[in-house]
mmCIF file of all heavy atoms in Angstrom:
data_model
loop_
_atom_site.group_PDB
_atom_site.id
_atom_site.type_symbol
_atom_site.label_atom_id
_atom_site.label_comp_id
_atom_site.label_asym_id
_atom_site.label_seq_id
_atom_site.Cartn_x
_atom_site.Cartn_y
_atom_site.Cartn_z
ATOM 1 N N GLU Q 291 4.386 17.007 22.804
ATOM 2 C CA GLU Q 291 3.411 18.070 22.875
ATOM 3 C C GLU Q 291 2.036 17.573 23.297
ATOM 4 O O GLU Q 291 1.121 18.356 23.456
ATOM 5 C CB GLU Q 291 3.296 18.768 21.519
ATOM 6 C CG GLU Q 291 4.563 19.506 21.124
ATOM 7 C CD GLU Q 291 4.369 20.282 19.848
ATOM 8 O OE1 GLU Q 291 3.209 20.451 19.418
ATOM 9 O OE2 GLU Q 291 5.369 20.729 19.276
ATOM 10 N N VAL Q 292 1.862 16.290 23.459
ATOM 11 C CA VAL Q 292 0.579 15.744 23.876
ATOM 12 C C VAL Q 292 0.379 15.999 25.359
ATOM 13 O O VAL Q 292 1.286 15.814 26.168
ATOM 14 C CB VAL Q 292 0.520 14.226 23.589
ATOM 15 C CG1 VAL Q 292 -0.813 13.657 24.035
ATOM 16 C CG2 VAL Q 292 0.726 13.977 22.102
ATOM 17 N N ASP Q 293 -0.812 16.453 25.704
ATOM 18 C CA ASP Q 293 -1.108 16.709 27.111
ATOM 19 C C ASP Q 293 -0.901 15.456 27.944
ATOM 20 O O ASP Q 293 -1.132 14.336 27.490
ATOM 21 C CB ASP Q 293 -2.555 17.189 27.269
ATOM 22 C CG ASP Q 293 -2.768 18.544 26.603
ATOM 23 O OD1 ASP Q 293 -1.774 19.274 26.441
ATOM 24 O OD2 ASP Q 293 -3.917 18.842 26.256
ATOM 25 N N GLU Q 294 -0.515 15.656 29.183
ATOM 26 C CA GLU Q 294 -0.325 14.549 30.106
ATOM 27 C C GLU Q 294 -1.654 13.851 30.347
ATOM 28 O O GLU Q 294 -2.635 14.492 30.719
ATOM 29 C CB GLU Q 294 0.235 15.076 31.429
ATOM 30 C CG GLU Q 294 0.451 13.992 32.468
ATOM 31 C CD GLU Q 294 1.588 13.050 32.094
ATOM 32 O OE1 GLU Q 294 2.401 13.422 31.231
ATOM 33 O OE2 GLU Q 294 1.651 11.963 32.677
ATOM 34 N N PRO Q 295 -1.753 12.548 30.101
ATOM 35 C CA PRO Q 295 -3.026 11.861 30.310
ATOM 36 C C PRO Q 295 -3.358 11.724 31.781
ATOM 37 O O PRO Q 295 -2.502 11.867 32.649
ATOM 38 C CB PRO Q 295 -2.788 10.494 29.669
ATOM 39 C CG PRO Q 295 -1.314 10.292 29.753
ATOM 40 C CD PRO Q 295 -0.704 11.655 29.598
ATOM 41 N N ALA Q 296 -4.616 11.423 32.034
ATOM 42 C CA ALA Q 296 -5.051 11.235 33.417
ATOM 43 C C ALA Q 296 -4.372 10.010 34.007
ATOM 44 O O ALA Q 296 -3.951 9.107 33.286
ATOM 45 C CB ALA Q 296 -6.574 11.068 33.441
ATOM 46 N N PRO Q 297 -4.237 9.964 35.313
ATOM 47 C CA PRO Q 297 -3.596 8.814 35.954
ATOM 48 C C PRO Q 297 -4.321 7.522 35.604
ATOM 49 O O PRO Q 297 -5.531 7.496 35.395
ATOM 50 C CB PRO Q 297 -3.712 9.143 37.445
ATOM 51 C CG PRO Q 297 -3.855 10.626 37.509
ATOM 52 C CD PRO Q 297 -4.630 11.001 36.286
ATOM 53 N N GLY Q 298 -3.586 6.455 35.567
ATOM 54 C CA GLY Q 298 -4.149 5.149 35.273
ATOM 55 C C GLY Q 298 -3.044 4.174 34.965
ATOM 56 O O GLY Q 298 -1.850 4.477 35.102
ATOM 57 N N SER Q 299 -3.429 2.967 34.523
ATOM 58 C CA SER Q 299 -2.432 1.975 34.172
ATOM 59 C C SER Q 299 -1.697 2.412 32.904
ATOM 60 O O SER Q 299 -2.150 3.295 32.162
ATOM 61 C CB SER Q 299 -3.102 0.618 33.947
ATOM 62 O OG SER Q 299 -3.930 0.669 32.801
ATOM 63 N N LEU Q 300 -0.562 1.775 32.629
ATOM 64 C CA LEU Q 300 0.213 2.125 31.445
ATOM 65 C C LEU Q 300 -0.593 1.922 30.166
ATOM 66 O O LEU Q 300 -0.603 2.812 29.295
ATOM 67 C CB LEU Q 300 1.504 1.305 31.404
ATOM 68 C CG LEU Q 300 2.408 1.554 30.188
ATOM 69 C CD1 LEU Q 300 2.850 3.015 30.131
ATOM 70 C CD2 LEU Q 300 3.628 0.623 30.232
ATOM 71 N N PRO Q 301 -1.316 0.792 29.969
ATOM 72 C CA PRO Q 301 -2.121 0.642 28.758
ATOM 73 C C PRO Q 301 -3.181 1.736 28.611
ATOM 74 O O PRO Q 301 -3.439 2.216 27.502
ATOM 75 C CB PRO Q 301 -2.761 -0.744 28.906
ATOM 76 C CG PRO Q 301 -1.825 -1.482 29.817
ATOM 77 C CD PRO Q 301 -1.317 -0.460 30.771
ATOM 78 N N GLU Q 302 -3.787 2.132 29.732
ATOM 79 C CA GLU Q 302 -4.804 3.179 29.675
ATOM 80 C C GLU Q 302 -4.195 4.512 29.261
ATOM 81 O O GLU Q 302 -4.758 5.252 28.448
ATOM 82 C CB GLU Q 302 -5.506 3.313 31.025
ATOM 83 C CG GLU Q 302 -6.388 2.132 31.388
ATOM 84 C CD GLU Q 302 -6.902 2.205 32.806
ATOM 85 O OE1 GLU Q 302 -6.290 2.910 33.640
ATOM 86 O OE2 GLU Q 302 -7.921 1.546 33.094
ATOM 87 N N ARG Q 303 -3.044 4.830 29.820
ATOM 88 C CA ARG Q 303 -2.379 6.086 29.499
ATOM 89 C C ARG Q 303 -1.906 6.094 28.039
ATOM 90 O O ARG Q 303 -2.002 7.103 27.334
ATOM 91 C CB ARG Q 303 -1.206 6.312 30.461
ATOM 92 C CG ARG Q 303 -1.642 6.559 31.900
ATOM 93 C CD ARG Q 303 -0.495 6.351 32.881
ATOM 94 N NE ARG Q 303 0.577 7.311 32.707
ATOM 95 C CZ ARG Q 303 0.638 8.493 33.315
ATOM 96 N NH1 ARG Q 303 -0.346 8.861 34.127
ATOM 97 N NH2 ARG Q 303 1.656 9.297 33.127
#
Side-chain angles (χ1 to χ4, degrees):
E291 294 185 13
V292 180
D293 295 336
E294 179 69 18
S299 67
L300 179 60
E302 291 172 338
R303 293 162 65 89

